[in-house]
Amino acid sequence: MLLTLTTTHRPATDLGHLLVKHPDRVQSFDLPAGTAHVLYPEADEARCTAALLVEVDPLKPGGGRGRRQATTPDSFTLGQYVNDRPYAASSLLSSALAKVFRSALRGESRDRPELAAAAIPLEVRVPVLRCRGGAELAVRVFAPLGWTVTAVPIPLDEAYPEWGDSRYVDLTLTGTLRLADALNHLYVLLPVLDDAKHYWVAPDEVDKLLRAGAGWLADHPERALITRRYLAHRRALAGEAMARLAELRLADEPPADDSIEGGPSTGDGVECGPSTEAPRASLAVRRREAVLAALRDSGASRVLDLGCGGGALLTALVADRRFTEVVGTDVSSQALALAARRLRLDRLPERQRDRIRLWQSALTYRDDRLRGYDAAVLMEVVEHLDPPRLPALEDAVFGHARPGTVVVTTPNVEYNVRYEGLGAGRFRHADHRFEWNRAEFAAWVDRVAAAHGYTATIGGIGDEDPELGCPTQLAVLSRTDTDVRKEETTR
């Protein structure tokens, strides 16, 4: 089985540093089911391709058909000897990825740490992938993650086209992503499309799934299918995984519009050839990108994520080396535990771990630890407070902590009528205590800015409706230069 990974990032040969595999050498690795080889068919400054070739011995343990597959209707007595396992991508290829590219999967690079944290142009090709559900399913699971998907069904026999297509596809993915994200997508989704595992699925597979799916699986529109198939249809394990994903979604406060606003449709009629339009990111992703852009524009390097939940924004902040200190606070200890798990704090190198702090803190009380930071973020937070508690938050954040910049996002209640099942008086999340319209949000921002010495700009995030505005409201409040200089001289 074969997988190729190509980049046109310049110099493209930096791919060797990210994968920790030298382009001038062929390297081989022993696997329980065979041998993996890493080689570079092309490697120059403009374009570099790394190939992972896995030679599977069907007679070795794990080299035959998976345990679950052995009981499927199309299995037969000699299935452990005569099968597609040596030739079609499956969980065997995922296991090889995990062993051969271990540090790259974790997003670590000793030689190119900044590049490991950056999105780069990538093309992945898996020429033979068993895809139970057809080419359409490949589009449904990869496209919402930012990939442009080309899934070409392989005919049963090119000499006899009337026989139709086989169960295999030639898969090509193109996109601009972090290499670690790309590898984790493949690690999870290759066995999902194959719908089989070559080994017994134990309870620790839930932790493996959530680690590899950190930052994307909880919000994926096909997360139930992915979870069920990855865990080999074991109901108890799938139920546990879905419950933990639900906790992540609750901690991150993904509103009802996330599945509506972003990504291509998962229904009938999905094109399986080359996509003519880049898939739209979900509103949750676009919100994080807008917040990061505002922080970069402010020049901040020490940042507070107030009400950080399960750590979705923290993950993005830590990936950007310009943010030298990142602090996440939340009133919920469970949310902070989820954030620590998502950030993989126990596995980060000491240098990266020292940039991150997680503190339990309530935003309606003054906390001296929060003073002196360049910027703070209140992303989908204020609407979770009862309105009478807002003055306490204003005093604690804008009056006491007084960061140089405060970025606030909150739903636009006017836009809710555009979502199926939401109408007048309905909020996007069960825990929302209120949702502002545009005039109410602007009035609150102007009052807070005037009271605490900030200037403010207001905008929106998401597709703008000419009558109702954007689904998410955004405000960036900046302290005056005089205030900031006074603060710096007193430190």
Side-chain angles (χ1 to χ4, degrees), residues 248 251-252 288 305 308-316 335 338-340 342-343:
L248 287 170
D252 290 339
R288 288 194 291 270
D305 183 5
C308 65
L313 178 62
L314 288 175
T315 303
L338 291 170
R342 171 176 252 162
L343 290 165

Side-chain angles (χ1 to χ4, degrees), residues 418-434:
R418 291 290 183 257
Y419 299 121
E420 185 177 354
L422 286 181
R426 295 286 304 278
F427 295 155
R428 301 187 198 179
H429 193 280
D431 190 54
H432 286 187
R433 308 308 169 88
F434 66 90

Side-chain angles (χ1 to χ4, degrees), residues 69-401:
Q69 278 194 315
T71 61
T72 56
D74 62 347
S75 62
F76 53 97
T77 305
L78 297 179
Q80 69 181 100
Y81 303 106
V82 182
N83 58 72
D84 60 0
R85 300 299 84 183
Y87 314 108
S90 66
S91 58
L92 289 162
L93 184 56
S94 289
S95 294
L97 282 170
K99 179 172 182 177
V100 175
F101 300 138
R102 184 176 305 163
S103 59
L105 272 160
R106 294 197 297 260
E108 299 171 1
S109 174
R110 183 183 61 187
D111 298 321
R112 299 290 189 275
E114 294 81 9
L115 187 59
I120 61 174
L122 294 171
E123 178 181 294
V124 176
R125 186 177 176 209
V126 184
V128 182
L129 170 62
R130 185 177 186 268
C131 193
R132 185 169 175 263
E136 177 195 354
L137 184 59
V139 177
R140 285 166 49 191
V141 299
F142 279 108
L145 301 174
W147 293 105
T148 297
V149 184
T150 304
V152 180
I154 298 174
L156 277 171
D157 192 321
E158 293 181 354
Y160 300 94
E162 65 273 15
W163 289 2
D165 294 328
S166 69
R167 66 185 68 179
Y168 305 95
V169 299
D170 181 347
L171 179 69
T172 301
L173 308 172
T174 57
T176 302
L177 297 88
R178 286 196 319 143
L179 177 64
D181 293 335
L183 293 175
N184 279 288
H185 296 165
L186 293 164
Y187 175 80
V188 172
L189 297 178
L190 291 180
V192 165
L193 293 175
D194 182 38
D195 198 16
K197 284 291 186 76
H198 70 279
Y199 55 87
W200 175 251
V201 174
D204 65 347
E205 288 293 299
V206 175
D207 290 329
K208 292 181 184 178
L209 172 63
L210 296 183
R211 280 198 300 268
W216 61 271
L217 181 56
D219 294 327
H220 198 293
E222 298 290 346
R223 60 188 171 276
L225 177 144
I226 292 169
T227 300
R228 186 170 61 251
R229 287 191 172 196
Y230 182 89
L231 297 170
H233 299 266
R234 294 191 62 186
R235 290 186 179 181
L237 298 183
E240 177 189 348
M242 288 299 293
R244 289 169 63 178
L245 288 172
E247 290 177 355
L248 287 170
R249 287 174 60 80
L250 180 60
D252 290 339
E253 201 285 292
D257 52 32
D258 282 357
S259 61
I260 303 170
E261 173 72 18
S265 168
T266 59
D268 294 334
V270 176
E271 293 295 332
C272 301
S275 175
T276 58
E277 182 179 345
R280 292 183 304 165
S282 70
L283 183 57
V285 171
R286 296 164 80 176
R287 185 186 302 122
R288 288 194 291 270
E289 291 174 346
V291 169
L292 289 170
L295 292 173
R296 293 175 186 130
D297 290 344
S298 75
S301 59
R302 302 172 66 240
V303 178
L304 300 166
D305 183 5
L306 304 176
C308 65
L313 178 62
L314 288 175
T315 303
L317 288 169
V318 170
D320 192 328
R321 302 298 297 183
R322 80 187 68 202
F323 301 120
T324 59
E325 184 178 350
V326 177
V327 176
T329 76
D330 204 282
V331 71
S332 167
S333 59
Q334 182 182 27
L336 293 173
L338 291 170
R341 188 185 307 155
R342 171 176 252 162
L343 290 165
R344 304 180 185 180
L345 286 183
D346 58 334
R347 300 169 60 187
L348 287 177
E350 184 177 356
R351 183 176 60 181
Q352 294 187 38
R353 193 167 56 245
D354 287 346
R355 295 171 55 220
I356 308 168
R357 304 282 187 276
L358 296 179
W359 295 335
Q360 189 169 16
S361 182
L363 295 180
T364 51
Y365 295 92
R366 293 186 171 195
D367 188 335
D368 288 340
R369 296 175 299 175
L370 306 183
R371 292 175 62 86
Y373 282 83
D374 300 327
V377 178
L378 292 165
M379 189 173 78
E380 308 301 289
V381 169
V382 295
E383 63 273 8
H384 289 272
L385 273 68
D386 290 312
R389 301 296 292 161
L390 282 176
L393 176 143
E394 296 162 14
D395 174 69
V397 175
F398 297 93
H400 186 70

Side-chain angles (χ1 to χ4, degrees), residues 394 398-399 402 444-455 477 483:
E394 296 162 14
F398 297 93
R402 292 191 62 73
W444 179 79
V445 170
D446 289 343
R447 181 178 60 77
V448 169
H452 297 283
Y454 284 78
T455 59
L477 297 93
D483 284 338

